[in-house]
Amino acid sequence: MKKTLFFFSILFILYSFTEKKHPYHVGSVEVNYNSKSKTFEVTGRFFLDDLENGLAKKYGKPFHFNDTKYKVQINEALKNYSAEYFKLKTDNQFLKINYIGYEEDSESVNVYLESEKVENPKKVEAAVSFLYNLFDDQINLVHIIVNGNRKSEKLTYPNRYLFQQF
């Protein structure tokens, strides 16, 4: 998580010193198994403008995260968007993923998801393609953590699948 935060911090600093749109299309997705709740807690972090544009392109209407009148629309769109662009499978079984909500700041958005309960996952597969509908150079850094064991992988468009054994 520290490396991801550092990476995003550097990108946000670069972004804030330029008037142009940021030159990198990158997001991160952390998939953390919570042994107490027996669920995967998922956090996706994306540049705010990229996510607004990805949703607008997908659903054909504008979305503005920093405007409260769009909150209901954004929640519905993110729920549907996440269901299409994020899949999780453990031990050869797809998991139901629930949309929890989102948080925003001036430059980024965190999207929160949670899986149904699963006992002691040994094999984790994910399909992650957030913002692939917008950019053909999108990179998603994916971190899967099970019982403190962290495995990370960089997915670059069009690659969307990863597999980790724990």
Side-chain angles (χ1 to χ4, degrees), residues 22-38:
H22 55 91
Y24 302 102
H25 302 119
V26 65
S28 74
V29 178
E30 183 172 285
V31 181
N32 188 15
Y33 182 69
N34 182 326
S35 58
K36 289 180 182 163
S37 67
K38 301 196 180 304

Side-chain angles (χ1 to χ4, degrees), residues 29-96:
V29 178
E30 183 172 285
V31 181
N32 188 15
Y33 182 69
N34 182 326
S35 58
K36 289 180 182 163
S37 67
K38 301 196 180 304
T39 61
F40 282 97
E41 298 168 342
V42 181
T43 302
R45 185 173 175 107
F46 307 97
F47 284 109
L48 184 141
D49 62 325
D50 289 350
L51 199 50
E52 281 180 344
N53 292 332
L55 293 174
K57 183 175 182 184
K58 176 73 178 166
Y59 300 110
K61 58 184 176 183
F63 293 89
H64 301 287
F65 280 96
N66 292 318
D67 188 337
T68 56
K69 73 180 183 183
Y70 286 91
K71 191 159 184 76
V72 172
Q73 280 183 292
I74 289 171
N75 272 308
E76 186 64 27
L78 283 174
K79 178 181 176 183
N80 295 331
Y81 192 84
S82 296
E84 184 171 343
Y85 293 102
F86 180 80
K87 306 284 185 201
L88 190 62
K89 194 175 180 183
T90 60
D91 304 320
N92 299 318
Q93 296 292 317
F94 280 102
L95 296 176
K96 181 179 182 217

